[in-house]
Amino acid sequence: MDDVLAGFHTVWEFSPDSVLIHHERSIRTPKLFQVLGERRIPYEALAAVELTQGKRGTVVLRAVPRPGADPLMDAADGQLKEGSDPYRLVLPAERELLAEYYADELRAALGASADEPADRCLVPAPTPPLNFKAYDGKASFDGRSVSFRWFWTGASSAKWKAGDQSFPVGELAGVEWRSPELFDGYLRLVQRHEEKNIGHTEHAGRIALPVQPRQTDQDPAAVVFGLGYGPVHESLPFAAAVLEAVRAAEPDEDAAAARPHPRPALAPVGEGRPDPADIADRIRHLGALHEAGLLTDDEFSAKKAELLAEL
């Protein structure tokens, strides 16, 4: 198979072992597609191919990724709207026969393990460094660790008390992403299970118990979305990149058994000179709240002076 199939805002270019999906960069294209640009999807990363009737005289060709093959879709966990699904190709209805041909060709190219979860990421996530602004803080990922820096204007007192956070990839078990387009959107870092001692003697047994997550606005391992913060095209690629790194860093069972215990749940960011760009961002955030009438003149001036004093 070696051909090109062009749809609305998206083009699929087929090669013997993969399909290269090009997303058009225009104001009509979902911002997520603009960020993704183009992605090469190996046929071994696919579980199935669907062809359905679309809206207003269109047909939709959709490739279904195998669980575990694409960290972007695993992080999304079915929360993307149809129009933001990067595996959909929308075509005019008059091209239905051509779409059927390519659907059959794709099905014939699926790997022998198409009906099984992938044991590794087969589609690369966006490349770090990545960052985005949540409502209560700024999230950054450099490929080795995830950092949360809290905003005075949005973070809860629990997060301020815990301080800015840094989470090495090796200390994480996964990522939870809840779309900002849904109620109470957030990104939460899932940390490896803590061990709790049972009994009080040195010979007491030990069992591993999962830590129950706190509410995201109180959890220093999570940032919350809302009011335009943490949009899909920024927070989802971020979550995918972290998830890919976590999976790459996962130890095998023998290594996991040999790990020292217990491990710290949170690691505060080391003290250092504040980033002037972050200070400027926080001052702009304060200005927006001031203009919206959520801060008085005195409150705005006082907090601005505090931030400037950090430089």
Side-chain angles (χ1 to χ4, degrees):
M1 186 167 29
D2 190 1
D3 212 337
V4 173
L5 186 59
F8 296 109
H9 312 311
T10 304
V11 175
W12 286 14
E13 182 178 344
F14 301 95
S15 66
D17 61 354
S18 61
V19 54
L20 183 62
I21 299 180
H22 302 267
H23 295 296
E24 176 185 289
R25 296 178 181 273
S26 74
I27 59 174
R28 298 173 299 173
T29 309
K31 288 185 177 180
L32 177 61
F33 290 0
Q34 297 179 38
V35 170
L36 296 177
E38 66 178 33
R39 309 178 82 212
R40 185 170 294 279
I41 314 297
Y43 298 139
E44 65 173 326
L46 302 179
V49 181
E50 303 169 346
L51 182 63
T52 59
Q53 296 297 317
K55 300 176 181 178
R56 297 185 292 276
T58 62
V59 292
V60 178
L61 180 62
R62 182 176 187 269
V64 181
R66 294 167 60 192
D70 185 349
L72 184 90
M73 300 305 288
D74 288 344
D77 194 24
Q79 298 174 73
L80 289 176
K81 296 179 179 179
E82 277 192 352
S84 296
D85 184 346
Y87 282 81
R88 293 175 80 247
L89 180 66
V90 182
L91 301 153
E94 57 266 25
R95 307 191 73 188
E96 182 172 3
L97 289 178
L98 185 61
E100 288 180 355
Y101 165 78
Y102 280 106
D104 290 340
E105 290 291 300
L106 278 172
R107 292 185 186 109
L110 297 181
S113 301
D115 58 348
E116 302 174 1
D119 59 3
R120 59 189 174 90
C121 294
L122 299 170
V123 183
T127 305
L130 298 167
N131 62 77
F132 71 91
K133 293 181 184 177
Y135 174 70
D136 55 359
K138 181 179 180 181
S140 303
F141 178 51
D142 62 6
R144 299 179 300 275
S145 62
V146 181
S147 299
F148 294 156
R149 177 170 180 144
W150 308 123
F151 293 152
W152 174 82
T153 50
S156 65
S157 58
K159 291 182 176 180
W160 272 111
K161 184 176 180 179
D164 293 342
Q165 301 292 309
S166 180
F167 303 87
V169 165
E171 299 295 327
L172 301 178
V175 180
E176 293 177 3
W177 179 81
R178 183 173 176 83
S179 173
E181 296 176 345
L182 303 175
F183 181 69
D184 285 343
Y186 62 83
L187 182 143
R188 187 205 307 272
L189 302 176
V190 181
Q191 300 172 84
R192 298 193 183 280
H193 293 173
E194 295 179 346
E195 284 194 339
K196 295 186 177 181
N197 291 335
I198 304 300
H200 301 284
T201 71
E202 60 180 346
H203 302 294
R206 297 160 68 93
I207 62 173
L209 298 175
V211 177
Q212 295 300 317
R214 289 180 266 179
Q215 293 182 343
T216 50
D217 64 337
Q218 304 295 316
D219 187 352
V223 290
V224 298
F225 305 151
L227 300 178
Y229 291 92
V232 171
H233 68 280
E234 294 181 357
S235 61
L236 179 57
F238 184 103
V242 175
L243 181 58
E244 180 184 53
V246 168
R247 289 176 175 173
E250 283 178 349
D252 58 32
E253 292 184 359
D254 292 338
R259 293 176 67 185
H261 298 288
R263 305 191 70 88
L266 297 174
V269 173
E271 295 296 330
R273 185 175 180 83
D275 182 352
D278 278 347
I279 297 295
D281 285 343
R282 294 167 74 180
I283 290 175
R284 280 192 288 270
H285 188 160
L286 282 173
L289 294 177
H290 180 237
E291 291 180 3
L294 299 177
L295 290 177
T296 66
D297 292 345
D298 290 343
E299 289 172 333
F300 171 70
S301 297
K303 189 56 188 176
K304 180 180 178 181
E306 288 179 21
L307 292 174
L308 291 174
E310 294 182 22
L311 293 175

